PDB file of all heavy atoms in Angstrom:
ATOM      1  N   GLY Y1698     -14.713   6.189  11.095  1.00 91.00           N
ATOM      2  CA  GLY Y1698     -15.267   7.531  10.997  1.00 91.00           C
ATOM      3  C   GLY Y1698     -14.244   8.631  11.119  1.00 91.00           C
ATOM      4  O   GLY Y1698     -14.604   9.818  11.139  1.00 91.00           O
ATOM      5  N   CYS Y1699     -12.948   8.281  11.203  1.00 91.00           N
ATOM      6  CA  CYS Y1699     -11.900   9.290  11.344  1.00 91.00           C
ATOM      7  C   CYS Y1699     -11.707  10.027  10.016  1.00 91.00           C
ATOM      8  O   CYS Y1699     -11.813   9.436   8.945  1.00 91.00           O
ATOM      9  CB  CYS Y1699     -10.584   8.656  11.772  1.00 91.00           C
ATOM     10  SG  CYS Y1699     -10.610   7.987  13.438  1.00 91.00           S
ATOM     11  N   ALA Y1724      -3.263  12.727  15.200  1.00 91.00           N
ATOM     12  CA  ALA Y1724      -4.596  13.243  14.906  1.00 91.00           C
ATOM     13  C   ALA Y1724      -5.661  12.144  14.977  1.00 91.00           C
ATOM     14  O   ALA Y1724      -6.780  12.364  15.454  1.00 91.00           O
ATOM     15  CB  ALA Y1724      -4.606  13.896  13.520  1.00 91.00           C
ATOM     16  N   LEU Y1725      -5.331  10.940  14.503  1.00 92.00           N
ATOM     17  CA  LEU Y1725      -6.296   9.835  14.535  1.00 92.00           C
ATOM     18  C   LEU Y1725      -6.617   9.430  15.965  1.00 92.00           C
ATOM     19  O   LEU Y1725      -7.783   9.167  16.306  1.00 92.00           O
ATOM     20  CB  LEU Y1725      -5.733   8.646  13.751  1.00 92.00           C
ATOM     21  CG  LEU Y1725      -5.580   8.859  12.240  1.00 92.00           C
ATOM     22  CD1 LEU Y1725      -4.802   7.715  11.607  1.00 92.00           C
ATOM     23  CD2 LEU Y1725      -6.933   9.019  11.568  1.00 92.00           C
ATOM     24  N   ILE Y1726      -5.594   9.394  16.826  1.00 90.00           N
ATOM     25  CA  ILE Y1726      -5.824   9.045  18.236  1.00 90.00           C
ATOM     26  C   ILE Y1726      -6.691  10.103  18.903  1.00 90.00           C
ATOM     27  O   ILE Y1726      -7.606   9.788  19.672  1.00 90.00           O
ATOM     28  CB  ILE Y1726      -4.475   8.888  18.963  1.00 90.00           C
ATOM     29  CG1 ILE Y1726      -3.732   7.665  18.429  1.00 90.00           C
ATOM     30  CG2 ILE Y1726      -4.675   8.755  20.473  1.00 90.00           C
ATOM     31  CD1 ILE Y1726      -2.312   7.541  18.937  1.00 90.00           C
ATOM     32  N   GLU Y1727      -6.416  11.376  18.583  1.00 91.00           N
ATOM     33  CA  GLU Y1727      -7.218  12.462  19.172  1.00 91.00           C
ATOM     34  C   GLU Y1727      -8.671  12.374  18.734  1.00 91.00           C
ATOM     35  O   GLU Y1727      -9.580  12.624  19.530  1.00 91.00           O
ATOM     36  CB  GLU Y1727      -6.632  13.808  18.753  1.00 91.00           C
ATOM     37  CG  GLU Y1727      -5.710  14.440  19.780  1.00 91.00           C
ATOM     38  CD  GLU Y1727      -5.511  15.910  19.504  1.00 91.00           C
ATOM     39  OE1 GLU Y1727      -5.101  16.247  18.374  1.00 91.00           O
ATOM     40  OE2 GLU Y1727      -5.755  16.717  20.410  1.00 91.00           O
ATOM     41  N   GLN Y1728      -8.908  12.050  17.465  1.00 92.00           N
ATOM     42  CA  GLN Y1728     -10.289  11.966  16.983  1.00 92.00           C
ATOM     43  C   GLN Y1728     -11.075  10.892  17.723  1.00 92.00           C
ATOM     44  O   GLN Y1728     -12.285  11.016  17.912  1.00 92.00           O
ATOM     45  CB  GLN Y1728     -10.298  11.687  15.480  1.00 92.00           C
ATOM     46  CG  GLN Y1728      -9.827  12.854  14.636  1.00 92.00           C
ATOM     47  CD  GLN Y1728      -9.896  12.552  13.155  1.00 92.00           C
ATOM     48  OE1 GLN Y1728     -10.975  12.304  12.606  1.00 92.00           O
ATOM     49  NE2 GLN Y1728      -8.753  12.577  12.491  1.00 92.00           N
ATOM     50  N   LEU Y1729     -10.371   9.836  18.161  1.00 90.00           N
ATOM     51  CA  LEU Y1729     -11.024   8.747  18.894  1.00 90.00           C
ATOM     52  C   LEU Y1729     -10.962   8.949  20.408  1.00 90.00           C
ATOM     53  O   LEU Y1729     -11.199   8.023  21.174  1.00 90.00           O
ATOM     54  CB  LEU Y1729     -10.360   7.413  18.522  1.00 90.00           C
ATOM     55  CG  LEU Y1729     -10.554   6.972  17.066  1.00 90.00           C
ATOM     56  CD1 LEU Y1729      -9.698   5.767  16.755  1.00 90.00           C
ATOM     57  CD2 LEU Y1729     -12.021   6.674  16.782  1.00 90.00           C
ATOM     58  N   HIS Y1730     -10.657  10.195  20.832  1.00 88.00           N
ATOM     59  CA  HIS Y1730     -10.631  10.568  22.251  1.00 88.00           C
ATOM     60  C   HIS Y1730      -9.569   9.805  23.034  1.00 88.00           C
ATOM     61  O   HIS Y1730      -9.693   9.627  24.249  1.00 88.00           O
ATOM     62  CB  HIS Y1730     -12.013  10.367  22.896  1.00 88.00           C
ATOM     63  CG  HIS Y1730     -13.092  11.226  22.300  1.00 88.00           C
ATOM     64  ND1 HIS Y1730     -13.485  12.418  22.854  1.00 88.00           N
ATOM     65  CD2 HIS Y1730     -13.841  11.061  21.178  1.00 88.00           C
ATOM     66  CE1 HIS Y1730     -14.449  12.955  22.102  1.00 88.00           C
ATOM     67  NE2 HIS Y1730     -14.678  12.143  21.075  1.00 88.00           N
ATOM     68  N   GLY Y1731      -8.522   9.336  22.352  1.00 84.00           N
ATOM     69  CA  GLY Y1731      -7.411   8.684  23.045  1.00 84.00           C
ATOM     70  C   GLY Y1731      -6.405   9.711  23.534  1.00 84.00           C
ATOM     71  O   GLY Y1731      -6.540  10.921  23.297  1.00 84.00           O
ATOM     72  N   PRO Y1750      -4.785  20.289  13.476  1.00 84.00           N
ATOM     73  CA  PRO Y1750      -6.119  20.595  14.015  1.00 84.00           C
ATOM     74  C   PRO Y1750      -7.093  19.461  13.695  1.00 84.00           C
ATOM     75  O   PRO Y1750      -7.184  19.020  12.552  1.00 84.00           O
ATOM     76  CB  PRO Y1750      -6.502  21.888  13.292  1.00 84.00           C
ATOM     77  CG  PRO Y1750      -5.674  21.902  12.043  1.00 84.00           C
ATOM     78  CD  PRO Y1750      -4.396  21.192  12.384  1.00 84.00           C
ATOM     79  N   VAL Y1751      -7.796  18.962  14.710  1.00 85.00           N
ATOM     80  CA  VAL Y1751      -8.735  17.854  14.509  1.00 85.00           C
ATOM     81  C   VAL Y1751     -10.041  18.145  15.225  1.00 85.00           C
ATOM     82  O   VAL Y1751     -10.097  18.964  16.154  1.00 85.00           O
ATOM     83  CB  VAL Y1751      -8.169  16.509  15.031  1.00 85.00           C
ATOM     84  CG1 VAL Y1751      -6.915  16.121  14.298  1.00 85.00           C
ATOM     85  CG2 VAL Y1751      -7.913  16.575  16.527  1.00 85.00           C
ATOM     86  N   LYS Y1752     -11.077  17.461  14.810  1.00 89.00           N
ATOM     87  CA  LYS Y1752     -12.380  17.530  15.468  1.00 89.00           C
ATOM     88  C   LYS Y1752     -12.710  16.133  15.985  1.00 89.00           C
ATOM     89  O   LYS Y1752     -12.937  15.212  15.200  1.00 89.00           O
ATOM     90  CB  LYS Y1752     -13.454  17.986  14.477  1.00 89.00           C
ATOM     91  CG  LYS Y1752     -14.834  18.097  15.108  1.00 89.00           C
ATOM     92  CD  LYS Y1752     -15.866  18.544  14.068  1.00 89.00           C
ATOM     93  CE  LYS Y1752     -17.244  18.634  14.695  1.00 89.00           C
ATOM     94  NZ  LYS Y1752     -18.266  19.044  13.686  1.00 89.00           N
ATOM     95  N   PRO Y1753     -12.700  15.926  17.312  1.00 91.00           N
ATOM     96  CA  PRO Y1753     -12.993  14.595  17.858  1.00 91.00           C
ATOM     97  C   PRO Y1753     -14.378  14.110  17.437  1.00 91.00           C
ATOM     98  O   PRO Y1753     -15.296  14.908  17.192  1.00 91.00           O
ATOM     99  CB  PRO Y1753     -12.909  14.811  19.372  1.00 91.00           C
ATOM    100  CG  PRO Y1753     -12.055  16.034  19.535  1.00 91.00           C
ATOM    101  CD  PRO Y1753     -12.373  16.903  18.353  1.00 91.00           C
ATOM    102  N   LEU Y1754     -14.530  12.804  17.340  1.00 91.00           N
ATOM    103  CA  LEU Y1754     -15.816  12.222  16.968  1.00 91.00           C
ATOM    104  C   LEU Y1754     -16.863  12.534  18.026  1.00 91.00           C
ATOM    105  O   LEU Y1754     -16.562  12.585  19.228  1.00 91.00           O
ATOM    106  CB  LEU Y1754     -15.688  10.710  16.806  1.00 91.00           C
ATOM    107  CG  LEU Y1754     -14.735  10.199  15.729  1.00 91.00           C
ATOM    108  CD1 LEU Y1754     -14.820   8.680  15.646  1.00 91.00           C
ATOM    109  CD2 LEU Y1754     -15.040  10.804  14.381  1.00 91.00           C
ATOM    110  N   GLY Y1755     -18.101  12.722  17.577  1.00 91.00           N
ATOM    111  CA  GLY Y1755     -19.207  12.972  18.492  1.00 91.00           C
ATOM    112  C   GLY Y1755     -19.637  11.702  19.221  1.00 91.00           C
ATOM    113  O   GLY Y1755     -19.152  10.602  18.928  1.00 91.00           O
ATOM    114  N   PRO Y1756     -20.575  11.823  20.168  1.00 91.00           N
ATOM    115  CA  PRO Y1756     -20.975  10.671  20.992  1.00 91.00           C
ATOM    116  C   PRO Y1756     -21.470   9.474  20.191  1.00 91.00           C
ATOM    117  O   PRO Y1756     -21.070   8.337  20.456  1.00 91.00           O
ATOM    118  CB  PRO Y1756     -22.083  11.248  21.885  1.00 91.00           C
ATOM    119  CG  PRO Y1756     -21.818  12.721  21.913  1.00 91.00           C
ATOM    120  CD  PRO Y1756     -21.242  13.064  20.587  1.00 91.00           C
ATOM    121  N   ALA Y1758     -20.977   8.813  16.980  1.00 91.00           N
ATOM    122  CA  ALA Y1758     -19.884   8.289  16.145  1.00 91.00           C
ATOM    123  C   ALA Y1758     -18.906   7.479  16.997  1.00 91.00           C
ATOM    124  O   ALA Y1758     -18.391   6.440  16.559  1.00 91.00           O
ATOM    125  CB  ALA Y1758     -19.156   9.436  15.450  1.00 91.00           C
ATOM    126  N   MET Y1759     -18.679   7.937  18.239  1.00 92.00           N
ATOM    127  CA  MET Y1759     -17.787   7.192  19.129  1.00 92.00           C
ATOM    128  C   MET Y1759     -18.391   5.860  19.534  1.00 92.00           C
ATOM    129  O   MET Y1759     -17.677   4.848  19.651  1.00 92.00           O
ATOM    130  CB  MET Y1759     -17.469   8.018  20.375  1.00 92.00           C
ATOM    131  CG  MET Y1759     -16.309   8.976  20.206  1.00 92.00           C
ATOM    132  SD  MET Y1759     -14.759   8.145  19.742  1.00 92.00           S
ATOM    133  CE  MET Y1759     -14.471   7.109  21.184  1.00 92.00           C
TER     134      MET Y1759
END
Side-chain angles (χ1 to χ4, degrees):
C1699 292
L1725 293 170
I1726 293 172
E1727 263 197 305
Q1728 290 182 62
L1729 294 172
H1730 297 263
V1751 298
K1752 181 181 179 181
L1754 298 184
M1759 274 302 297

